[in-house]
Amino acid sequence: LGMVILEKLAHDPDNCVEIAKSTYLISKIIGLISYSTGCENSNYEQQRAVICPSLNFVRRLASTGENIGVEVRQELCNSSFLLNNLECVLEDSRSSPELMKLVIDILNKLALDEDARKEIGSCKVTISKLMHAFIGKDGASNTYDDQSLRMAAGEALANLTIESPANCLVILEETGYEIIKDLKNML
């Protein structure tokens, strides 16, 4: 309930400024996103009940517009655990399309910041998961049938490549994607 209230407060840019100033609050919420992959199903459901609203709140913060949004995204990126926690959600096979979409939306918004682009691009697991959500692997159909998830993954990959030759190279070097090889050969 507290996360829902915070998310509603974050719809006002002035509140986002105050939230960004409260680094303890942001780090506490990012801590709630921590993911334990070895837990039982009952614990997983409890964990998911906390992670989902926390991801919604972080997505709301990352989506803040104008100059305030730049500050908020930088504050989010300053957390050393955020990208790691997001990666853990992407890696867990039990993650629902809803959780995956929230994580991808956050990565998409964070990728608007140059430093965040570099940090996200340095994590090959994240790029690999985004590629798999967008294209599918080895010509197989995409395991994520949700079209909005595929579109979000494609948008995140596009944002990650903006003015980032290093991220373009990471994507081109990703194995198992014939379409990428074909595009590379055409170019």
Side-chain angles (χ1 to χ4, degrees):
L1 182 59
M3 293 307 302
V4 172
I5 292 168
L6 283 171
E7 181 190 356
K8 288 183 180 187
L9 286 171
H11 285 275
D12 181 350
D14 293 332
N15 290 340
C16 288
V17 171
E18 294 303 316
I19 291 168
K21 288 179 185 176
S22 176
T23 56
Y24 176 74
L25 177 62
I26 289 176
S27 64
K28 193 74 163 162
I29 290 163
I30 289 170
L32 292 174
I33 298 170
S34 67
Y35 212 72
S36 173
T37 56
C39 65
E40 301 170 7
N41 279 344
S42 61
N43 287 343
Y44 173 74
E45 289 304 319
Q46 290 174 340
Q47 201 176 36
R48 189 179 179 284
V50 172
I51 291 172
C52 195
S54 301
L55 286 171
N56 269 318
F57 176 66
V58 172
R59 180 182 62 177
R60 181 70 220 136
L61 287 177
S63 299
T64 305
E66 303 170 17
N67 293 336
I68 295 168
V70 172
E71 291 175 36
V72 171
R73 284 188 291 278
Q74 286 174 348
E75 189 60 45
L76 287 170
C77 290
N78 286 340
S79 169
S80 58
F81 297 111
L82 178 62
L83 292 179
N84 184 50
N85 290 353
L86 295 177
E87 181 182 315
C88 288
V89 174
L90 285 175
E91 283 187 295
D92 193 329
S93 61
R94 298 174 298 177
S95 292
S96 67
E98 176 190 14
L99 285 179
M100 299 288 283
K101 177 126 176 27
L102 288 170
V103 169
I104 291 171
D105 284 347
I106 292 167
L107 291 169
N108 183 20
K109 297 302 180 188
L110 293 177
L112 297 172
D113 180 69
E114 183 179 349
D115 292 334
R117 264 195 305 274
K118 290 177 187 174
E119 188 75 27
I120 296 167
S122 69
C123 180
K124 294 187 188 229
V125 171
T126 300
I127 297 290
S128 177
K129 290 295 185 177
L130 288 172
M131 291 287 291
H132 185 67
F134 181 55
I135 298 174
K137 192 144 177 129
D138 294 323
S141 64
N142 190 316
T143 57
Y144 306 109
D145 291 330
D146 185 354
Q147 191 67 20
S148 65
L149 182 64
R150 291 184 76 185
M151 289 175 58
E155 190 175 344
L157 286 166
N159 284 344
L160 285 169
T161 59
I162 295 171
E163 298 178 10
S164 180
N167 287 351
C168 291
L169 186 60
V170 169
I171 291 170
L172 288 174
E173 289 175 344
E174 191 66 32
T175 59
Y177 298 99
E178 290 300 319
I179 192 168
I180 298 298
K181 287 180 190 175
D182 293 344
L183 286 171
K184 186 174 158 183
N185 291 336
M186 282 190 224
L187 291 173

